[in-house]
Amino acid sequence: METITLNVYEDDMKTVKKECVAVPTKIPFGVIRKLMKLFNENTLEDTSQILTVVTGSFDDTTQILHNAFPEIEEEEWDNVDVTELVAVIYKIIKHSFLKMLEIPVGKK
């Protein structure tokens, strides 16, 4: 998996307080299933649509983010740039789908 980082900023939203690297995480099938009800191939390439989907599935999204970035404290999420967050979510979902495509399909 490519390195996925997310910055937590100071209150001025200019100074980086800490840079967090995502840890490999398994995403439950139920979360993927819920997200896929909201995503389609067009929305997955449009970051504004990703933001819309994320806000519509906030609980599932925060579960993924908490698992991927366990070092980010609950109150620190308020100081994460939204555009960076959307890019990170895109990378995590894209990585999950690429991993699924690697699953061998047996021939009958």
Side-chain angles (χ1 to χ4, degrees):
M1 177 167 99
E2 71 176 280
T3 302
I4 300 174
T5 60
L6 187 60
N7 294 319
V8 175
Y9 291 89
E10 296 290 346
D11 289 336
D12 64 7
M13 291 302 291
K14 294 177 184 172
T15 308
V16 176
K17 179 179 178 179
K18 66 181 176 181
E19 185 178 273
C20 304
V21 177
V23 297
T25 184
K26 294 182 186 261
I27 300 175
F29 178 70
V31 172
I32 293 294
R33 199 174 54 161
K34 289 176 188 172
L35 290 175
M36 287 315 300
K37 285 181 182 177
L38 303 172
F39 283 112
N40 63 46
E41 63 185 47
N42 297 326
T43 60
L44 201 51
E45 296 298 326
D46 182 351
T47 54
S48 66
Q49 289 299 317
I50 292 173
L51 181 58
T52 301
V53 169
V54 167
T55 57
S57 60
F58 190 74
D59 291 338
D60 293 326
T61 304
T62 55
Q63 176 187 355
I64 293 169
L65 294 172
H66 176 72
N67 290 338
F69 297 98
E71 68 182 280
I72 298 180
E73 301 292 327
E74 183 67 33
E75 67 277 356
E76 290 178 319
W77 286 105
D78 292 342
N79 287 23
V80 171
D81 183 309
V82 173
T83 56
E84 291 177 22
L85 184 65
V86 169
V88 162
I89 292 167
Y90 172 76
K91 289 177 185 177
I92 290 171
I93 292 171
K94 182 178 173 185
H95 172 73
S96 296
F97 289 127
L98 290 174
K99 292 300 284 180
M100 284 188 267
L101 292 174
E102 292 175 3
I103 298 170
V105 178
K107 294 183 179 181
K108 291 185 176 186

